[in-house]
C-alpha cells in the first residue's frame, strides 16, 4: 500500500462539520468590529525576518525559539540567530505597523483603526491549545492621536465584547501598566533585585531569562518558579507620576463602561514592544494554556521601525482557544430544503462499487441508474432540486436510491428546515407534499407552485 501522508505536527484541518463554528466567529467579529469603526487589513503571511526580530525583540521567546524561517533550512538557535531572509509571521502587529508606515497611513488619518483575521505560525512544542499554525482575530489602533486612556479602555472593552458575543462566559480580565520605556527599565531592575537571591532556584530557562528577558520569568509555568514569583512584592512603584495617572484614567474609563477587571502586578508581556497598558483575558476551562487573548499599548514601535513617532495599541484573540472553550459546539448546516422521492416499486439497491475499483461506474450501475432515472419521482426531484437552488434557496436530495425512512433520517441529520416529498401517486395529480420540520405540519402544494411557496 502507498504510504499515507499526514498533516504536519501542530497543524489541523478545519473539517466541514467544524466550519460553521469558524464562520460564525468570523461573521460575529466582522459585525462588531464594524460597529467600533475598525477596517479590515490583510498583509502577507510571511515578511522579512528582520521585521520580527526588530519589533518583538531578539531576546523574546518567539524570536529565539519559535520563528519559522523560510529561506534557510538551518535551525534558528540562540547563537546563530538570523536577522535576514523571510519568516512566516508569528503574529500580525509587526506586519501591520510595517504596512502602516509603508502606506503612510498617518498622512491620511490621525487614528487608523484596523483589524485582521488569519493564520499565524510559531514553531512551538504542540499541545492542547498550542499549535504551530493557529488563527487570530486582532485589532490595532495606530496614529498620532492614539495615546489617550479612553482608547485603551475601548480596545480592552472591545476584546471582552467580542468574546462575550461568541457566547463565552466566566472570562477573567487582568490588566497592568508597564509605563514608558524608562518605567519599564525600572520595573526590570526591580524584578532582578527581588529575584537575585533566588536565582539558583529558578529553572534553567529562567536563569537565562534573568539577564536576557527578566519579564518572562513571571510567565514561567514551572512550579518552583511560580512559587518564587508568588512571593514577589510588586506594585506600581516603577511607574512615573504621569504613567500612574494614565493608568488611573484607563481604569476609570473601564468602570464607566462596566468592564470588570483585576489589576495584576505580575502581568507582563514577553515582547519588547509593549509599553503602558497591557491586558490578558483568560478562561479556566483552558487549563495551563489559559489565555484566550492578550494585548497592550506599543507606543515606541512605529518610530523604531522607521515611521513617525506615533502611539498604538492592539490585541489578538486565539480562535482555536475560543472554540475549545465553546466546547466544540458543532453547528448543523442550515439546509433550507431536502427533497425526498418515493415510489413503491422503486428498486432500492444501487449496487455497491467493488472494493478494488470503487471509482468505476460499472455496467450494473448503468443499468440500475438508467432505471432510476426512468422513475418520474426521481426525475422530478432532480429537476426541482436545480430550480430551488436557482432561486437562491439551499437544497439537497439523496442521489442514491434509498427508502423513504432513510431519506427522512438524512434530511433530519442535515438540519433541513423543510422537506418536499415527491411520490408517484401525488405526481399523477401534479402535487407534492411540503413538510415543515420544525412545526411538524404538512400540506399539499401544486408542483408548479412549489418554488413560489418556498420563496
Ligand atoms: P500572543 O500573541 O502570544 O499574545 O497570543 C495571543 C493569543 O493567541 C493567545 O492568547 C492565544 O489565544 C493565541 N495563541 C498564541 N499562540 C498560540 C498557539 N501556539 N496556538 C494556539 N493559539 C495561540
Amino acid at each position: 500500500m502507498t504510504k499515507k501522508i499526514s498533516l504536519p505536527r501542530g497543524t489541523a484541518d478545519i473539517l466541514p462539520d467544524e466550519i460553521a463554528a469558524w464562520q460564525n466567529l468570523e461573521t460575529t467579529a466582522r459585525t462588531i468590529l464594524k460597529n467600533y469603526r475598525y477596517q479590515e487589513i490583510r498583509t502577507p503571511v510571511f515578511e522579512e525576518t528582520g521585521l520580527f526580530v526588530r519589533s518583538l525583540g531578539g531576546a523574546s521567546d518567539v524570536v529565539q525559539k519559535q520563528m519559522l524561517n523560510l529561506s534557510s533550512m538551518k535551525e534558528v538557535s540562540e547563537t546563530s540567530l538570523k536577522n535576514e531572509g523571510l519568516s512566516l509571521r508569528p503574529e500580525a502587529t509587526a506586519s501591520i505597523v510595517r504596512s502602516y508606515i509603508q502606506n503612510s497611513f498617518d498622512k491620511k488619518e490621525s487614528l487608523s483603526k484596523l483589524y485582521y483575521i488569519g493564520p499565524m505560525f510559531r514553531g512551538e512544542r504542540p499541545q492542547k491549545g498550542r499549535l504551530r499554525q493557529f488563527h487570530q482575530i486582532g485589532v490595532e489602533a495606530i496614529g498620532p492621536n492614539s495615546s489617550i486612556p479612553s482608547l485603551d479602555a475601548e480596545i480592552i472593552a472591545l476584546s471582552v465584547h467580542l468574546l462575550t458575543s461568541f457566547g463565552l462566559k466566566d472570562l477573567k480580565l487582568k490588566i497592568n501598566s508597564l509605563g514608558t520605556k524608562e518605567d519599564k527599565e525600572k520595573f526590570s531592575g526591580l524584578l532582578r533585585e527581588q529575584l537575585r537571591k533566588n536565582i539558583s532556584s529558578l529553572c534553567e530557562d529562567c536563569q537565562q531569562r534573568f539577564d536576557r528577558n527578566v519579564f518572562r520569568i513571571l510567565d514561567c509555568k514551572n512550579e518552583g518558579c511560580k512559587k518564587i514569583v508568588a512571593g514577589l512584592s510588586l506594585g506600581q512603584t516603577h511607574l512615573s507620576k504621569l504613567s500612574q495617572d494614565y493608568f488611573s484614567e484607563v481604569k476609570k474609563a473601564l468602570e464607566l463602561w462596566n468592564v470588570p477587571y483585576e489589576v495584576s502586578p505580575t502581568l507582563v508581556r514577553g515582547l519588547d514592544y509593549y509599553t503602558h497598558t497591557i491586558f490578558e483575558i483568560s478562561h479556566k476551562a483552558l487549563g495551563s494554556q489559559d489565555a484566550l487573548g492578550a494585548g497592550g499599548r506599543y507606543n515606541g514601535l512605529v518610530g523604531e521601525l522607521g515611521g513617525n513617532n506615533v502611539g498604538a495599541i492592539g490585541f489578538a484573540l486565539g480562535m482555536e482557544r475560543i472554540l475549545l472553550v465553546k466546547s466544540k459546539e458543532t453547528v448543523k448546516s442550515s439546509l433550507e430544503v431536502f427533497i425526498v422521492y418515493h415510489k413503491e416499486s422503486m428498486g432500492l439497491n444501487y449496487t455497491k462499487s467493488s472494493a478494488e475499483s470503487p471509482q468505476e461506474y460499472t455496467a450494473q450501475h448503468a443499468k440500475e441508474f438508467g432505471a432510476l432515472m426512468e422513475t418520474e419521482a426521481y426525475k422530478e426531484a432532480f429537476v426541482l432540486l436545480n430550480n430551488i437552488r436557482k432561486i437562491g434557496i439551499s437544497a439537497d436530495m439523496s442521489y442514491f436510491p434509498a427508502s423513504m425512512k432513510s431519506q427522512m433520517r438524512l434530511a433530519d441529520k442535515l438540519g433541513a428546515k423543510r422537506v418536499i416529498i415527491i411520490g408517484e401517486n401525488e405526481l399523477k395529480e401534479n402535487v407534492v407534499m411540503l413538510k415543515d420540520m420544525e412545526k411538524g405540519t404538512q400540506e399539499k402544494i401544486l408542483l408548479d407552485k412549489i418554488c413560489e411557496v418556498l420563496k
Side-chain angles (χ1 to χ4, degrees):
M1 262 242 285
T2 321
K3 190 174 175 285
K4 284 187 198 146
I5 298 177
S6 304
L7 87 175
R9 233 161 78 80
T11 66
D13 295 320
I14 301 171
L15 299 174
D17 66 350
E18 299 162 313
I19 215 76
W22 282 81
Q23 288 173 345
N24 279 347
L25 284 195
E26 289 164 18
T27 311
T28 307
R30 286 181 204 285
T31 307
I32 293 170
L33 289 161
K34 190 163 162 252
N35 291 347
Y36 283 71
R37 202 181 59 78
Y38 284 83
Q39 289 181 304
E40 186 173 3
I41 179 165
R42 299 185 191 190
T43 58
V45 296
F46 60 89
E47 298 269 359
E48 283 190 20
T49 304
L51 172 68
F52 302 121
V53 178
R54 275 169 63 187
S55 49
L56 310 182
S60 64
D61 279 10
V62 174
V63 169
Q64 285 283 338
K65 300 184 185 161
Q66 300 163 357
M67 288 264 274
L68 295 171
N69 199 296
L70 288 182
S71 55
S72 155
M73 297 302 289
K74 278 190 213 139
E75 285 275 300
V76 176
S77 74
E78 276 174 43
T79 46
S80 70
L81 184 66
K82 284 239 171 96
N83 200 350
E84 51 199 50
L86 301 170
S87 291
L88 289 173
R89 62 178 184 192
E91 53 105 67
T93 303
S95 310
I96 288 170
V97 171
R98 194 258 319 126
S99 175
Y100 177 90
I101 299 168
Q102 197 163 359
N103 294 294
S104 307
F105 272 69
D106 59 341
K107 301 223 168 62
K108 296 178 220 160
E109 52 197 12
S110 58
L111 178 63
S112 301
K113 297 173 91 174
L114 307 165
Y115 82 84
Y116 56 87
I117 300 178
M120 308 295 152
F121 308 86
R122 295 183 195 173
E124 310 208 59
R125 195 168 46 80
Q127 63 181 81
K128 193 174 170 218
R130 194 159 79 180
L131 293 147
R132 289 183 171 169
Q133 176 177 332
F134 58 99
H135 299 76
Q136 289 183 335
I137 298 175
V139 159
E140 316 290 349
I142 316 175
N145 282 351
S146 72
S147 281
I148 180 112
S150 42
L151 184 64
D152 297 46
E154 171 177 296
I155 285 279
I156 297 172
L158 170 57
S159 63
V160 175
H161 188 176
L162 284 169
L163 291 169
T164 48
S165 303
F166 299 150
L168 303 192
K169 293 189 195 90
D170 305 321
L171 303 170
K172 188 164 175 183
L173 167 65
K174 289 195 276 185
I175 63 171
N176 195 16
S177 174
L178 297 170
T180 59
K181 240 181 145 179
E182 293 73 41
D183 298 339
K184 233 174 130 176
E185 282 294 312
K186 238 171 139 185
F187 192 14
S188 54
L190 196 84
L191 262 177
R192 285 201 187 92
E193 213 177 281
Q194 292 196 24
L195 286 167
R196 199 174 302 276
K197 58 179 182 296
N198 288 319
I199 195 162
S200 55
S201 314
L202 292 170
C203 74
E204 222 168 276
D205 269 354
C206 283
Q207 292 192 14
Q208 286 183 20
R209 287 170 181 152
F210 186 84
D211 288 319
R212 219 177 55 211
N213 191 355
V214 68
F215 291 135
R216 291 289 288 128
I217 298 177
L218 301 183
D219 289 337
C220 185
K221 301 279 184 251
N222 177 291
E223 286 306 321
C225 298
K226 273 200 217 160
K227 242 188 227 149
I228 294 171
V229 167
L232 295 174
S233 116
L234 301 169
Q236 252 85 48
T237 54
H238 60 284
L239 297 180
S240 68
K241 171 80 175 63
L242 214 56
S243 300
Q244 277 184 30
D245 287 349
Y246 191 97
F247 193 42
S248 299
E249 296 296 348
V250 173
K251 289 185 277 185
K252 269 191 236 161
L254 280 175
E255 281 150 28
L256 282 177
W257 278 10
N258 293 322
V259 180
Y261 64 84
E262 182 187 299
V263 176
S264 166
T266 54
L267 176 70
V268 287
R269 308 280 300 125
L271 309 179
D272 267 9
Y273 58 58
Y274 285 110
T275 54
H276 289 283
T277 317
I278 50 168
F279 62 99
E280 187 179 275
I281 305 172
S282 57
H283 197 287
K284 57 180 182 319
L286 283 172
S288 67
Q289 303 293 321
D290 67 350
L292 283 167
R297 186 162 276 289
Y298 52 98
N299 282 348
L301 187 60
V302 182
E304 274 163 35
L305 292 180
N308 289 327
N309 243 332
V310 302
I313 181 164
F315 66 79
L317 307 177
M319 296 177 79
E320 280 79 2
R321 294 201 193 161
I322 292 168
L323 292 169
L324 264 178
V325 175
K326 275 172 75 73
S327 68
K328 300 199 185 99
E329 164 192 341
T330 49
V331 182
K332 273 191 177 179
S333 66
S334 55
L335 187 68
E336 291 290 334
V337 176
F338 191 85
I339 306 175
V340 167
Y341 46 88
H342 172 59
K343 187 194 177 216
E344 290 302 325
S345 59
M346 193 159 68
L348 291 182
N349 289 326
Y350 192 69
T351 308
K352 280 213 176 109
S353 305
S354 73
E356 302 90 68
S357 57
Q359 72 276 46
E360 292 302 337
Y361 187 60
T362 62
Q364 179 66 19
H365 288 140
K367 200 169 132 210
E368 288 171 4
F369 187 72
L372 184 65
M373 261 307 206
E374 283 304 304
T375 64
E376 277 308 302
Y378 188 91
K379 210 159 40 186
E380 283 299 347
F382 193 64
V383 170
L384 187 57
L385 179 67
N386 192 36
N387 293 341
I388 295 174
R389 287 171 175 170
K390 279 195 174 153
I391 56 167
I393 296 175
S394 62
D396 211 350
M397 65 182 267
S398 166
Y399 285 168
F400 291 100
S403 70
M404 180 132 161
K405 202 167 149 195
S406 72
Q407 288 181 67
M408 287 303 288
R409 224 177 317 160
L410 182 57
D412 197 42
K413 192 173 156 208
L414 295 176
K417 294 195 182 83
R418 289 180 284 187
V419 168
I420 295 171
I421 303 163
I422 302 184
E424 294 276 285
N425 290 336
E426 285 84 358
L427 276 182
K428 284 183 197 136
E429 299 167 40
N430 266 326
V431 293
V432 295
M433 298 303 289
L434 178 63
K435 186 170 171 149
D436 186 310
M437 296 293 272
E438 273 151 28
K439 296 190 194 128
T441 53
Q442 186 163 302
E443 58 182 323
K444 262 188 195 169
I445 311 278
L446 278 172
L447 179 60
D448 51 6
K449 287 272 179 304
I450 186 73
C451 284
E452 246 170 78
V453 173
L454 289 176
K455 261 188 172 170

